[in-house]
Structures are given as C-alpha cells and as structure tokens.
Amino acid sequence: MKEDFDLSKRAFEIIPAFISWSILLIFVLFAFLRPKVYALLIITFDIFWVIRVSYLTSLLSFAHHRLNKEKNKKWLSLCMKLSDPRSQKIYQAVIFPVYKEGLDVLVSSLDSLKNTNYPKEKMIVVLAFEDRIRDSREKAKVLESRYKDSFFAYLSTFHPDGIAGEARTKGANATWAAKILKDFVDSKGIKYEDVIVSCFDADTCVEKEYFGCLLYHYLTVYKPLQCSYQPIPVYNNNIWYAPSFARVIEIAASYCQLIDSMRLEKFVTFSSHSMSFKTLIDVDYWPVDKVSDDSLIYWKAYIYYNGDYRVVPMYITVSMDVAYGRNLLQTFFVQYKQKRRWAWGIEVFPYVMLNFKENKLIPLEKKLRKTFHILDSHISWATWAIILTVISPLMMLFSSYLFKGTVIGFNLPRITGVLFSLTNITVLLWMALSLTLLPPKPKELKFRARIKIVTQWLLVPIIMTIIGSTPALDAQTRLALGKYMGFSYTEKKRNRF
Amino acid sequence: MEQKIREILFYLSIILFFILVPVILLYSFGYNLDINRLRIIKTGLIYVKSIPDRAKVYLNGRHINKTTPVSIEGLMPGEYKLSLELENYYPWYQEVEVESGKSTTLDDIILFSIKPHLDKINISNVDDFYIFSADKDYAYCISENKTAIYRTRLNPKEKEASLLCNQLLLPDNIKDFSLSPDKKKIFYFYGNRLDVIYLASEKANHQQIKNNNFPIITNHRIVNAFWYSDSKHIVIMTDKDIKIYELISEDKDNIITILNINDKHPKAFYNIAEDILYFTDVQEGSDGKLHRGLYRLDISKRSLLTFIKDIEENIK
C-alpha cells in the first residue's frame, strides 16, 4: 500500500515538469521537423497569449478599482453597525514566524499592529522565533520589554530544532507557535471560533483598518469558518530604495494576487493570510514538512471540508519588503531564489492529487477544475516567457532556412512581432496602475527617483526573458527529479540599494 | 457585479480567440477570400526592395500606391509584370512568377541614376592612367604630352597630384606598365625594350626630379614582365625565353636566361606573393607530337633553398 502511495506521489511529482518540458520540446521539434505546424502553433499561442494578457489586465483593472474604492472604508465602524454580538467577542491573533530578521524589521511590523484601530485588548501577538538562531532570545527580550503591555497578550515562542517529521520550514515554526497559542487560548477560556489567526511574514506591516476589514469579512461571509482571508500583498516597505529590477518583479507579484482575487475559483492563500483559529486546529495546523505552507493550508482545509472551503479576497493591502541584494547580480540571485521558492508551490500538486484520490466526497467536477487550475497556473508560468522571448525569436533566426520562399516564412516574423508588441502595450497600463499603489516618496529622495519608478517598466522584456519562466521550470524539474527544496530565507533590507 | 463582468469578459475572450485564430492563421499562410467566387484561395506574395528605396511600384501597369520596400500580398498564382519608377532614375521592369503559398523575393534591385554622379579626381591633364594592385588607393597618370608621371589619390575630395617623374619621352606603343612592390620603381615595355623608371618620393623637390630612365634591350620581343617580390628583380618573358633581370644600381644591371620556351604567344600569370610564374608553352610529348601545356616555374627564395638541400642530400 505504502509502495503504491510512493509511486503515485512520484508520478504526480513528475507530471508538471513533464508537461512543461513537453510543451517546450514540441515547439522546438516542430520548428525543425514540421515548420508549418510550428508556425501554426506559435501564432495560435501568441493570439492566446495576447487575449489572455488583455483579459488578465482587465481583471487587474477591476481589482485595482475595487482596492481604491475600499481603501478609505472605515471597516471597524461598519462592523459595529452590523450589530452582530460576535463582533465584541472576536480576538485577533497574529503569528509572526521569525528567522533571521533584524529588530528594525520586527519593530516596524509590530508598530504597525500597534497602530491599528482594532481594540488592543482583543489582540494576541505571537513572535515565533527559531530556537536554533543564536540571537533569538535576546531579540525576544528586547521586543517583549517594548510590546508586552501593548496587547491583550504578547507571547514569544521558540521552536526547537529537530522535531521528528518536521523540516526546517516557516510552517513548522508557525505550527509550534499556534500550538502554544492554543494552550494560551485554552487557559483564558476563549472559544476557538472567537479567534481569527493571521500568519504574517516577519516584515508584514498592516494598515490601520486591517483587522476591522478582516472582522467585517469574518462576520459577513457565508460559513466564515470555511474561509481563509487573503489581503493584497504589496512590497512597499522599502520599494523606493530597491533597484528597479526587483521593484518591477515584486509589483508584478502584487498584480498576480490582484488578478487572482478576481478569479475566486483559482484564488489560494499566499504569504500573509488569516483564518479562523478553530479551522486551523481542525485541519491540524500548517504543514510542518513543506516549504509552501501558505498555499498548503488552503488545500488542507479544502480537503478537510470536502471541497467546501474558499479564500475570501480582502481589498486591503499588507506591505512587505522587496527582496534585493547588495548589487544587481546579487539582486538577480535573491529574486531568482525567491521566485523559485514561490514556484515550488507546485509541491501542492502531488499532495492535492493524492488526497483527491482518497477523498470520495469532493465532486469530480470540482476535482477536475482544481487540478486544471493548479496545472494551468504553474505550467503557464514555466513556459510562456520561454516560448515568447527565447524559442520564438531563436526560431526567427532560422526562418530563412525553415520557411524558405514561403508566404508563412515572410508573414511569421511580422505577425509574431505585432502580437508580441500588443502584449507589451499592456505594460503601459501596469505602469500607470503601479503609480497609484506606491507609498509617498521619502523626502530624502530626489525627483529622479520618481522618473526611475516610471521608466523601470522598460525593463519588462528583459525581466521576462531572464526571470519570467526559468525559476518555475527549475522548481518543477527539481520536484520531478526528487531534489526537494528546503526553505530558503530571503534577507530583508531597509537600506538604500 | 464584477464577477458577472468577469464572466462576460471571459466568454468574450474565448469567442475572440476562436475568431482570430482561423483568420490570422489563414492570412499568415497566404489564404485570401475571393469575393467574386466567394471561396478561399491560396495566394502568393512578392517582396520588392530597391536601392534606392521609395520607388513607385506598378503591377501589371497599375500603380499599387506603395513604395519600396514593399510586400505585395494576396496575389493569385500567375505571371505579373512588375515595374519600379523613381524620379531621376532609369525605370526597372521584370516579369515575375507568383506561386500559391510562396513568396517571391526581389531584394537586389538597383535603380541607376539618369544623372550619374561624375567627379574629376585629378587637377592635371591625363593621357593615360594605371591603377596597380601594389598601390590601390592611387592612380598613376601619364601627362598629356607623355613626358611626366603623376600620382593622384582616387578620391575626388583630394585633387592634389604629386609629380613622380618628368623629362620622359614615352613612346605610343607601350604594352604595359608595372609598379614595384616597394612603390619606388615603374617599368614599362614595348618591342624588345624594357625601361625602369626610379620614382621620386612625394616629398622630393620638383627641381630634383629628372629622367631616371634605364633601358634593357633583349634579343627577342618581350611578351610579359613582372616584378619579383623583393622589387630588385624583374622576370621578363620573351617569345623565346624567360630572363631574370637584376637591378644592381641605377646604372648597373645583371641579366640571366633561366628557361627557353617554344610558345610564340605564351599566356602568363605571376603570383608575386609566392614568386611563382604560371605560363603556357609548347613541349614535345611522349607521342612525339607538340602539346601546348600549362607550366609552373617556382623561382621563390624558398624553392632555391630546398633545391640546394636536395643536392646536398644526393651528394651524401
């Protein structure tokens, strides 16, 4: 039985990379063996891509519009107006899994909690340190002295290293902290369903109305226990100081979340997210042996509730740090590793498939849709930029040989060129939208910083070529080869690049 | 509401995709709608590029409202009369065959000007000129009265000419001129006479330039002559033999005959980089008959050294 399970698991680990590599190889092989079929494929793909990007850009505009509309809402007042007795009872528990983040990063995150308008006597803050990190206890002591009286409870937890069955992941640390939080909640006689737990990256800074917004959604959605609550992550903490290259990539990441917030059937938890504490306990916390704890918690709950679980988008931002290095090359590697870690989210595929196989209560149609969504997003990610920016232009070099003296040989470069340019036009809209998501320019920065933040979008074709698909293809290939990734820490910087 | 709009957009995108794909694919592969017969036909195209560009394009005598470079698409298979017109240039015309699904590329059309650009590159009067491979940037000009040789750059912007030699009396029947590889001497020949002229440097005072003419007279008609790579020897080919003439000093010389030949009108090519002479000659074959053949005479320094080495090895 176990052997069957292992074999199925390996098969599901191989499938995404197999499909991605097959797509890429099909394009290259057809180019040389059946050039006309290649031309047909590449034109069809380009049309598909132009329409898809236009469609996604329109979703982005809708989501962006919604974000702007809800920006100034007084969520907490709206909660009071609901006259729901639960609104007085709900505790907000926030877990910050900490690795090597410095005090400057942690203080700004905790200060942002302190500055929220949510009643502090209903807030529990858990700083989840890794015991193996040398200065964890010193940092905990400093922070405790500063924040212990700021909230209903302020807890520091120290996740021991080497617990059987655990990997060195953020999820393992968060789970350890959540279990200690459970003991605390039990000791205070608080019901689990009266606690909303948020698991935030250590650099996450929330807006003043964040918990009001979270409470409002918790009180108003259908089956609140069967929902995760997802804010829109933006990377504004240090965006004015980050290099253009990294800024564009992180803004694009925010855009992906905004787009997915409009596609609820595809929407899964990402990075900082919130959920009912009861649900967290029921689904047995975050996974302790996987890197992608943020998305896997959604899938755990989805399977636990037999497909009756969803992610509710909250059009309120949480701000995090842009990851970058000391120079452009280091920034490239930092970004590449971070994106590869995100793309490692494909590890949910075997987990979901194996559980779908076991679970007979989830309708087949739902299973098929979810399977398609996982594969679609990860395989598109691993292939589109390579097809558009590497295979297509490379084949143009051989076009005079492949399509000698034919109408298609003459038309192909022109048509693919026009379609690619149409895709790039959407970049103008992304640029315009990005300006409205920006925090105010720090006074010490000159006007040219503003010019750079506009012109940085010219880098999009280069970024697409070098970091568009390769991290995802890399992650899928590693999974297929059984070279499992561990959690890689992304250094947080607040100083100028 | 947003979800409703999103759904509409989603289905519109799908519809758009299924409309655009066949339309763009058919267009890309050269298919066109024949409105008269209401059917789709496979067409061809002509791509025309000219130097200079912006020429008006006429197809079967009709102006197509486009200028070069241009691709004329959607053409039914068949023969077309293609012509290009550009003001102040000679028109261009060609009959072009168009095949279905094929592109006919005409990207090497040159339109020649009606008013060609003419420049005088020399300030002096010229009777004749030579451009030597040893000095390709210059023309060596013979003055109108055939008494002087000038050198002038082949660039109309630099019209200055420098006098290399005067007080000459060049005959009318000169067969050829040749510049030495060191660019310091010129020889010319006619009949059985070859004259070497020592050229003055460009910096030389014109007053000092005089006739440095040293004639070599052979017993036979000179057919061809070549500079040896060291610029100190001349290979002279007469209708009887091949001689090597050594320029010892301006008033001394040395001449040897290295080979007798039978061909009265030998053709010859001298490879100055390797000092090898290729020539035709008539020799008696094994059948006792005379055959005209191509011969190779290696007179390079390297071959002479090898020859000595071979003799030494034979003696041993």
Side-chain angles (χ1 to χ4, degrees), chain A residues 66 262 265 405 407 414-415, chain B residues 2-3 6 28 73 101 103:
Chain A
R66 178 96 181 259
M262 298 298 291
E265 74 284 359
V407 173
R414 291 191 309 158
I415 288 166
Chain B
E2 279 154 352
Q3 289 303 314
R6 196 209 119 188
S28 310
E73 293 166 56
S103 68

Side-chain angles (χ1 to χ4, degrees), chain A residues 36 39-40 43-44 47-48 51 55 58-59 62 66 261-265 405-408 410-411 414-415 419, chain B residues 2-3 5-6 9-10 13 16-17 20-21 24-25 27-30 42-45 47 71 73 101-103:
Chain A
K36 283 185 183 171
L40 191 138
I43 292 172
T44 308
I47 298 168
F48 164 73
I51 293 174
Y55 169 67
S58 60
L59 295 190
F62 285 129
R66 178 96 181 259
S261 75
M262 298 298 291
R263 301 191 289 177
L264 297 179
E265 74 284 359
T406 59
V407 173
I408 185 64
F410 187 82
N411 282 335
R414 291 191 309 158
I415 288 166
L419 292 171
Chain B
E2 279 154 352
Q3 289 303 314
I5 298 172
R6 196 209 119 188
L9 274 175
F10 179 74
S13 302
L16 192 65
F17 175 77
L20 283 181
V21 166
I24 295 178
L25 280 177
Y27 168 77
S28 310
F29 281 88
K42 200 171 187 183
T43 60
L45 68 81
Y47 176 70
S71 62
E73 293 166 56
K102 297 274 169 70
S103 68

Side-chain angles (χ1 to χ4, degrees), chain B residues 141-264:
Chain B
C141 306
I142 296 164
S143 65
E144 221 169 11
N145 52 12
K146 296 187 178 175
T147 57
I149 297 175
Y150 294 90
R151 196 170 86 138
T152 183
R153 246 188 193 285
L154 292 171
N155 182 350
K157 286 178 187 162
E158 295 174 43
K159 290 191 165 65
E160 285 301 320
S162 52
L163 179 65
L164 298 177
C165 187
N166 63 2
Q167 298 176 21
L168 294 167
L169 200 60
L170 296 169
D172 289 334
N173 58 341
I174 289 174
K175 203 169 170 204
D176 201 7
F177 274 86
S178 184
L179 177 71
S180 64
D182 64 3
K183 303 174 195 174
K184 288 180 179 169
K185 302 172 276 282
I186 281 179
F187 71 67
Y188 62 89
F189 63 90
Y190 58 97
N192 62 344
R193 175 179 167 140
L194 184 143
D195 287 46
V196 178
I197 306 165
Y198 285 77
L199 304 172
S201 71
E202 284 179 40
K203 287 176 189 168
N205 185 336
H206 281 205
Q207 297 301 318
Q208 294 171 350
I209 297 169
K210 58 180 198 306
N211 182 358
N212 289 328
N213 197 346
F214 298 94
I216 303 152
I217 310 293
T218 62
N219 295 331
H220 307 287
R221 180 177 62 88
I222 299 173
V223 178
N224 224 328
F226 310 97
W227 282 103
Y228 194 77
S229 58
D230 65 356
S231 298
K232 289 176 183 166
H233 297 79
I234 298 169
V235 181
I236 301 170
M237 202 168 186
T238 71
D239 55 9
K240 273 281 179 210
D241 53 21
I242 295 169
K243 296 177 190 299
I244 293 183
Y245 171 75
E246 184 182 10
L247 288 88
I248 296 171
S249 67
E250 291 183 6
D251 52 358
K252 286 182 190 166
D253 52 36
N254 194 3
I255 189 159
I256 53 163
T257 300
I258 61 162
L259 194 72
N260 288 320
I261 58 171
N262 302 316
D263 197 347
K264 291 281 175 207

